[in-house]
Amino acid sequence: KQEVTQIPAALSVPEGENLVLNCSFTDSAIYNLQWFRQDPGKGLTSLLLIQSSQREQTSGRLNASLDKSSGRSTLYIAASQPGDSATYLCAVRLNNAGNMLTFGGGTRLMVKP
Amino acid sequence: DTAVSQTPKYLVTQMGNDKSIKCEQNLGHDTMYWYKQDSKKFLKIMFSYNNKELIINETVPNRFSPKSPDKAHLNLHINSLELGDSAVYFCASSQTGTSGYTFGSGTRLTVV
């Protein structure tokens, strides 16, 4: 059974800092891994999708890496801004029927002005 | 143009009632899903459905049933609502073999 863990559960940083969010998963037979952002009371916004054959993906100030063999992914946020404050969720999709995602518990990020 | 839309956004109802939540996607995806986010914010899969098969998470009570009138819609019907069903329910879609997921904005269900 796939388990996904995100560390830290919460993070507070001053504006401008570079930061790293961590995600680990127990079953390395994944199809892909996706990072989402969730604002309070809102839905999920997809940030980055990494296929199992890829090592990293970049979008603007965001960079996500994937190390399948060690069961780890990191989301790097450069030059953080108050507007980055949200919960960041990591989700993995296995190579099995149903295309279902298994989510981590999320990292709640607050960027202080 | 909203890609995955859910209605209603909020639903307050009494214990024992039967209710439905509707979901529509205009992305042409072949698979749709329902996820539940509990009070601790954990997101868990409930159902995965395409025109070939329905896969049910074994922890989902049989009071919950997905209904798909066509490829673009997957509604969630809940019978005999219980207090513990209070949560935010998210619909999502994806295309087999290619894309990641697109989520709807969620339906906050409160059972009183």
Side-chain angles (χ1 to χ4, degrees):
Chain A
K1 180 188 171 190
Q2 177 74 274
E3 292 184 4
V4 181
T5 304
Q6 290 187 245
I7 294 173
L11 182 63
S12 181
V13 299
E15 182 177 4
E17 274 203 8
N18 302 324
L19 54 99
V20 175
L21 308 182
N22 296 293
C23 172
S24 62
F25 45 95
T26 54
D27 186 343
S28 62
I30 67 169
Y31 186 83
N32 60 36
L33 183 146
Q34 198 164 357
W35 282 93
F36 295 89
R37 167 185 174 140
Q38 185 175 28
D39 293 282
K42 304 286 186 182
L44 280 69
T45 300
S46 179
L47 298 173
L48 290 164
L49 170 69
I50 311 178
Q51 302 293 348
S52 63
S53 58
Q54 297 174 325
R55 298 283 296 187
E56 66 177 341
Q57 284 288 328
T58 298
S59 175
R61 294 182 294 108
L62 304 179
N63 174 278
S65 67
L66 175 64
D67 184 342
K68 223 173 55 161
S69 60
S70 67
R72 295 178 189 275
S73 176
T74 61
L75 179 66
Y76 176 82
I77 303 177
S80 58
Q81 303 170 358
D84 295 331
S85 298
T87 296
Y88 290 80
L89 294 158
C90 160
V92 299
R93 179 178 144 187
L94 291 178
N95 284 319
N96 61 8
N99 304 320
M100 293 180 281
L101 294 180
T102 302
F103 279 85
T107 293
R108 194 168 59 256
L109 172 67
M110 175 166 290
V111 181
K112 299 177 184 175
Chain B
D1 219 14
T2 304
V4 180
S5 59
Q6 298 178 227
T7 55
K9 190 171 175 63
Y10 301 97
L11 181 56
V12 181
T13 188
Q14 290 186 327
M15 282 176 56
N17 283 350
D18 302 339
K19 289 293 179 185
S20 291
I21 307 172
K22 295 185 177 181
C23 179
E24 176 182 4
Q25 56 99 1
N26 62 7
L27 298 166
H29 287 167
D30 63 2
T31 308
M32 296 183 72
Y33 313 84
W34 279 103
Y35 282 79
K36 179 180 179 180
Q37 188 171 42
D38 62 23
S39 57
K40 295 182 179 179
K41 306 301 182 187
F42 282 102
L43 268 157
K44 291 187 179 177
I45 183 70
M46 299 177 71
F47 303 101
S48 165
Y49 182 79
N50 65 23
N51 59 4
K52 297 176 185 175
E53 63 181 336
L54 169 67
I55 297 181
I56 304 171
N57 184 324
E58 69 247 14
T59 66
V60 175
N62 58 14
R63 297 181 295 103
F64 289 78
S65 57
K67 298 187 190 304
S68 180
D70 56 57
K71 198 175 146 181
H73 296 82
L74 184 66
N75 303 325
L76 181 64
H77 190 74
I78 316 168
N79 289 328
S80 303
L81 278 155
E82 300 177 358
L83 292 176
D85 297 333
S86 296
V88 181
Y89 292 85
F90 286 97
C91 177
S93 70
S94 72
Q95 180 65 30
T96 301
T98 57
S99 70
Y101 272 49
T102 302
F103 277 80
S105 57
T107 295
R108 182 175 296 276
L109 172 65
T110 304
V111 182
V112 298

